Amino acid sequence: MSLKIYNTLTNEKELFVPIHPGKVGIYLCGPTVYKESHIGHAVGPVIFDAFKRFLCYKGFKVMLIVNITDVDDKIIDQAAAENCNVRELAERITRQYLDAMAQLGVTGIDQMPKASEHIPDIINLIERLINKGSAYVSGGDVYFDVMRFESYGKLSNRKMEDQTGRREVLGQGKRHPNDFALWKSAKPTEPAEVGFDSPWGRGRPGWHIECSAMSMKYLGDTFDIHGGGMDLIFPHHENEIAQSECCTGKNFAKYWMHNGLTRFNTKKVSKSDPEMQRAMEKMTLSHLLNTYGGEMLRFFILSTHYRRPIEFSDTEMESKQKSLNGFYRLFDRLERLTSHSPYDEKQPTLHKPQVEIYPEKHHAFIQDILVMRNEYLDMLDDDFNTAGAIGTLFKYSNSINRFLDQNQAETIQDETVRFLALSAARSLVEDARVLGLFVEKPPKTSDHAPDHLREDLIGLLVRLRADAKKDKNFALADRIRNELSTLGISLVDHPGGTQWTFADR
RNA sequence: GGCGACGUGCCCGAGUGGACUAAGGGAGCGGUUUGCAAAACCGUGAUUCGCCGGUUCGAAUCCGGCCGUCGCCUCCA
């Protein structure tokens, strides 16, 4: 089966045919770095990282670009509020964002261009637009002239007439209310570090132009897929299309993929919504990664189809955590049985030609697994249905556990059964890795163990030893004292009880 | 006001014309197993997919209307 994806431009599921056979260029709109990133900012990168892995699995050579918008009004405002340097703020937030991406296993981004480092490209693009008559200078500002782009509104299905109903406000020096800034002149109150020299005086780029400049720089005038959150369709992506296509005279992106927005209490998670601000603490990436870990968050995001809204809540996170643990337990079970880990790439997966080498009574199980592999990949081919694909991963897990139970794998030493199950689990892991799941074995020790755990455990042993002494089981009592001693903990009995100390104290 | 999305069992969530007698997960209940517990496994749950009409041999799935929730039109992943 071949890949179909839903294209916002046509409002249809389309067969995916890359512009250049075998190669795919993807541009995803990244964050504006002015406040700590929240769960919503992880959705796009996780989905597109997983999508890239899937495309690579299918044999495409993929270039994935995610931008960082580090020149923007909001960064200036926030820096002023925090009384810090604009560049420093942007860099700090960017570092946090990159750290979160690493924890989420987002490894597929080839370039993360920053707006501030592409000012010449942006200026060049604006100049071309002015020369073509699609943009005009007004004071120190430059505006895009939407009347010059016939198909303005083709992405968001908006008609020009509809627009004027709500906001009649004709911006300072704008010819049409929908005209948007390509270049904004510097204001006297703004800090010096946010200004750049341009043919129109000192200033900085408008919001949409950096994405046009950077996407075309890295992927060419026309590229395969442009992605982002659904809230960007208008005006951001609409404006990107307008300015890019006016400039080059060519189609901009062939497919537009928009992910659903994350909600909390049915409302969109947003940095700028004051009501959301109060709940934001538990939705920042740093908090979520600390409490749940990267794989769990990734699993959570991919458990919903990308075009749907994700309903975030702690109870749902906990529910998902439990289901994810089921996979870990299965992997542990196989490791106990075979002394090999399903994470180990040297262990074989299940393949069709292998069927005959196993006894006939196991053929049904093998068939089962092979069917699931196909089902899994079919799901991903159908508009990248990761939710459905993860559903089949659960079926895999159930099937393997059942096979082990039925063959009493723990009590009957049947290496065929055990290693067949291991191979099946290896297939599961390999399939999951197409989405970037189960790439690495999670650490066994809990990072969240409280500091007092060590003391509590010693206390427990001391109490058990007291019970042993009461039962006159002095052999056990002495053993506990001796073994603790070799661990550097001395136990000293007093009439009132037992006192323990670390030997080095 | 304009544009758009969504409404599936207790919760989450796939399915978008026939294999749906609606996947899967979490919770619940009953069972197998177990010294006990946990885990695992088995069984159980929507005669029904917001409501009302229509198209069709056939609809959760297409069309129309209504209700509800949310998003965009100002900054947003």
Side-chain angles (χ1 to χ4, degrees), chain A residues 99-140:
Chain A
D99 179 54
M101 291 305 114
Q103 289 190 63
L104 285 161
V106 174
T107 56
I109 300 172
D110 296 284
Q111 292 276 347
M112 289 195 106
K114 294 177 185 169
S116 66
E117 291 168 5
H118 291 77
I119 300 297
D121 302 289
I122 292 168
I123 289 175
N124 177 265
L125 188 55
I126 297 173
E127 281 187 312
R128 286 167 69 190
L129 284 166
I130 293 173
N131 292 339
K132 290 209 166 193
S134 303
Y136 55 92
V137 183
S138 174

Coordinates of all heavy atoms in Angstrom, one line a residue, chain A residues 99-140:
Chain A
D99 N 16.8 21.0 24.5 CA 17.0 20.0 25.5 C 15.7 19.1 25.6 O 15.8 17.9 25.7 CB 17.2 20.7 26.9 CG 17.4 19.6 28.0 OD1 18.2 18.7 27.8 OD2 16.6 19.7 29.0
A100 N 14.6 19.7 25.5 CA 13.3 19.0 25.5 C 13.2 18.1 24.3 O 12.8 16.9 24.4 CB 12.1 19.9 25.6
M101 N 13.6 18.6 23.2 CA 13.6 17.8 21.9 C 14.4 16.6 22.1 O 14.0 15.5 21.6 CB 14.0 18.7 20.7 CG 13.1 19.8 20.3 SD 11.4 19.2 20.0 CE 10.5 20.0 21.3
A102 N 15.6 16.8 22.7 CA 16.5 15.6 22.8 C 15.9 14.6 23.7 O 15.9 13.4 23.4 CB 17.8 16.1 23.4
Q103 N 15.2 15.0 24.8 CA 14.6 14.0 25.7 C 13.4 13.3 25.0 O 13.1 12.2 25.4 CB 14.1 14.7 26.9 CG 15.2 15.2 27.9 CD 14.7 15.6 29.2 OE1 14.1 14.9 29.9 NE2 14.8 16.9 29.5
L104 N 12.8 14.0 24.1 CA 11.6 13.4 23.4 C 12.0 12.5 22.3 O 11.2 11.9 21.6 CB 10.7 14.5 22.8 CG 9.9 15.3 23.8 CD1 9.4 16.6 23.2 CD2 8.7 14.5 24.3
G105 N 13.4 12.4 22.1 CA 13.9 11.5 21.0 C 13.7 12.1 19.7 O 13.7 11.4 18.7
V106 N 13.5 13.4 19.6 CA 13.4 14.1 18.3 C 14.8 14.3 17.8 O 15.6 15.2 18.2 CB 12.7 15.5 18.5 CG1 12.7 16.2 17.2 CG2 11.3 15.2 18.9
T107 N 15.2 13.4 16.9 CA 16.6 13.4 16.4 C 16.7 13.7 14.9 O 17.8 13.8 14.4 CB 17.3 12.0 16.7 OG1 16.5 11.0 16.0 CG2 17.4 11.7 18.1
G108 N 15.5 13.8 14.3 CA 15.5 13.8 12.8 C 15.6 15.2 12.2 O 15.6 15.3 11.0
I109 N 15.7 16.3 13.0 CA 15.7 17.6 12.5 C 17.1 17.9 11.9 O 18.1 17.8 12.6 CB 15.4 18.6 13.5 CG1 14.0 18.4 14.1 CG2 15.5 20.1 13.0 CD1 13.6 19.2 15.3
D110 N 17.1 18.2 10.6 CA 18.4 18.4 9.9 C 19.0 19.8 10.1 O 20.2 20.0 10.1 CB 18.3 18.1 8.4 CG 17.9 16.7 8.2 OD1 18.8 15.8 8.3 OD2 16.7 16.4 7.9
Q111 N 18.1 20.8 10.2 CA 18.5 22.1 10.4 C 17.5 22.8 11.2 O 16.3 22.6 11.1 CB 18.5 22.9 9.0 CG 19.6 22.4 8.0 CD 20.9 23.1 8.3 OE1 21.0 24.1 9.0 NE2 22.0 22.5 7.6
M112 N 18.0 23.7 12.1 CA 17.1 24.5 12.9 C 17.5 26.0 12.7 O 18.2 26.6 13.5 CB 17.2 24.2 14.4 CG 16.6 22.9 14.7 SD 16.3 22.8 16.5 CE 14.6 23.0 16.6
P113 N 17.1 26.5 11.5 CA 17.6 27.9 11.2 C 16.9 28.9 12.1 O 15.7 28.8 12.4 CB 17.1 28.0 9.7 CG 16.0 27.1 9.6 CD 16.3 25.9 10.5
K114 N 17.6 29.9 12.4 CA 17.1 31.0 13.2 C 16.8 32.2 12.4 O 17.7 32.6 11.5 CB 18.0 31.4 14.4 CG 18.2 30.3 15.4 CD 19.2 30.7 16.4 CE 19.5 29.5 17.4 NZ 20.6 29.8 18.2
A115 N 15.8 32.9 12.6 CA 15.4 34.1 11.9 C 16.6 35.1 12.0 O 17.0 35.7 11.0 CB 14.1 34.7 12.4
S116 N 17.1 35.3 13.2 CA 18.1 36.3 13.3 C 19.4 36.1 12.5 O 20.2 37.0 12.3 CB 18.5 36.4 14.8 OG 19.1 35.2 15.2
E117 N 19.6 34.8 12.1 CA 20.8 34.5 11.3 C 20.5 34.5 9.8 O 21.3 34.0 9.0 CB 21.3 33.1 11.8 CG 21.9 33.2 13.2 CD 22.2 31.9 13.9 OE1 22.1 30.9 13.2 OE2 22.6 31.9 15.1
H118 N 19.3 34.9 9.5 CA 18.9 34.8 8.0 C 18.4 36.2 7.5 O 17.6 36.2 6.6 CB 17.9 33.7 7.8 CG 18.5 32.4 7.9 ND1 18.7 31.8 9.2 CD2 19.0 31.5 7.0 CE1 19.3 30.6 9.0 NE2 19.4 30.4 7.7
I119 N 18.9 37.2 8.2 CA 18.4 38.6 7.8 C 18.7 38.9 6.4 O 17.9 39.4 5.6 CB 19.0 39.6 8.8 CG1 18.6 39.3 10.2 CG2 18.5 41.0 8.4 CD1 17.1 39.4 10.5
P120 N 19.9 38.6 5.9 CA 20.2 38.9 4.4 C 19.2 38.2 3.5 O 18.8 38.7 2.5 CB 21.6 38.4 4.2 CG 22.2 38.5 5.6 CD 21.1 38.1 6.6
D121 N 18.9 36.9 3.8 CA 18.0 36.2 3.0 C 16.6 36.8 3.0 O 15.9 36.9 1.9 CB 17.9 34.7 3.4 CG 19.2 34.0 3.5 OD1 19.7 33.7 2.4 OD2 19.8 33.8 4.6
I122 N 16.2 37.3 4.1 CA 14.9 37.9 4.3 C 14.9 39.2 3.5 O 13.9 39.5 2.8 CB 14.6 38.1 5.8 CG1 14.4 36.8 6.5 CG2 13.4 39.0 6.0 CD1 14.4 36.8 8.0
I123 N 15.9 40.0 3.7 CA 16.0 41.3 3.0 C 15.9 41.1 1.5 O 15.2 41.7 0.7 CB 17.2 42.1 3.4 CG1 17.1 42.6 4.8 CG2 17.5 43.3 2.4 CD1 18.3 43.3 5.4
N124 N 16.7 40.1 1.0 CA 16.7 39.8 -0.4 C 15.3 39.4 -0.9 O 14.9 39.9 -2.0 CB 17.7 38.6 -0.6 CG 17.7 38.2 -2.1 OD1 17.0 37.2 -2.5 ND2 18.5 38.9 -2.9
L125 N 14.6 38.6 -0.1 CA 13.2 38.2 -0.5 C 12.3 39.4 -0.6 O 11.5 39.6 -1.6 CB 12.7 37.2 0.5 CG 11.4 36.5 0.2 CD1 11.5 35.8 -1.1 CD2 11.1 35.5 1.3
I126 N 12.4 40.3 0.4 CA 11.6 41.5 0.4 C 11.9 42.4 -0.8 O 11.0 42.9 -1.5 CB 11.8 42.3 1.7 CG1 11.3 41.4 2.9 CG2 11.0 43.6 1.7 CD1 11.6 42.0 4.3
E127 N 13.2 42.5 -1.1 CA 13.5 43.3 -2.3 C 13.0 42.8 -3.6 O 12.5 43.5 -4.4 CB 15.1 43.4 -2.4 CG 15.6 44.4 -1.4 CD 17.1 44.7 -1.6 OE1 17.9 43.6 -1.8 OE2 17.5 45.8 -1.6
R128 N 13.0 41.5 -3.7 CA 12.4 40.9 -4.9 C 10.9 41.2 -5.0 O 10.4 41.4 -6.1 CB 12.7 39.4 -4.9 CG 14.1 39.0 -5.2 CD 14.5 37.6 -4.9 NE 13.8 36.6 -5.8 CZ 13.8 35.3 -5.6 NH1 14.4 34.8 -4.5 NH2 13.2 34.5 -6.4
L129 N 10.3 41.1 -3.8 CA 8.8 41.4 -3.8 C 8.5 42.8 -4.2 O 7.6 43.1 -4.9 CB 8.2 41.0 -2.5 CG 8.0 39.5 -2.2 CD1 7.8 39.2 -0.7 CD2 6.9 39.0 -3.1
I130 N 9.4 43.7 -3.7 CA 9.2 45.1 -4.0 C 9.4 45.4 -5.5 O 8.6 46.0 -6.2 CB 10.1 46.0 -3.2 CG1 9.8 46.0 -1.7 CG2 10.1 47.5 -3.7 CD1 10.8 46.7 -0.8
N131 N 10.4 44.7 -6.0 CA 10.7 44.9 -7.5 C 9.6 44.4 -8.3 O 9.4 44.8 -9.4 CB 12.0 44.2 -7.8 CG 13.2 44.9 -7.2 OD1 13.1 46.1 -6.8 ND2 14.3 44.2 -7.0
K132 N 8.9 43.3 -7.9 CA 7.8 42.8 -8.6 C 6.5 43.5 -8.5 O 5.5 43.2 -9.1 CB 7.6 41.3 -8.2 CG 8.7 40.4 -8.6 CD 8.2 39.0 -8.8 CE 9.2 38.1 -9.5 NZ 8.7 36.9 -10.0
G133 N 6.6 44.5 -7.5 CA 5.4 45.3 -7.3 C 4.4 44.6 -6.3 O 3.3 45.0 -6.2
S134 N 4.8 43.6 -5.7 CA 4.0 42.9 -4.8 C 4.1 43.4 -3.3 O 3.3 43.0 -2.5 CB 4.3 41.4 -4.7 OG 4.2 40.8 -6.0
A135 N 5.0 44.3 -3.1 CA 5.2 44.9 -1.8 C 5.5 46.3 -2.0 O 6.0 46.7 -3.0 CB 6.3 44.1 -1.0
Y136 N 5.2 47.1 -1.0 CA 5.4 48.5 -1.1 C 6.0 49.1 0.2 O 5.8 48.5 1.3 CB 4.2 49.3 -1.4 CG 3.0 49.0 -0.5 CD1 2.8 49.8 0.6 CD2 2.1 47.9 -0.7 CE1 1.7 49.6 1.5 CE2 1.1 47.7 0.2 CZ 0.9 48.5 1.3 OH -0.2 48.3 2.1
V137 N 6.8 50.1 0.1 CA 7.4 50.7 1.3 C 6.5 51.9 1.8 O 5.9 52.6 1.0 CB 8.8 51.3 0.9 CG1 9.5 51.9 2.2 CG2 9.7 50.3 0.3
S138 N 6.4 51.9 3.1 CA 5.5 52.9 3.7 C 6.2 53.4 4.9 O 6.2 52.7 5.9 CB 4.1 52.3 4.0 OG 3.3 53.2 4.7
G139 N 6.8 54.6 4.8 CA 7.6 55.0 6.0 C 8.8 54.1 6.0 O 9.4 53.8 5.0
G140 N 9.1 53.6 7.2 CA 10.2 52.7 7.3 C 9.8 51.2 7.2 O 10.6 50.3 7.3

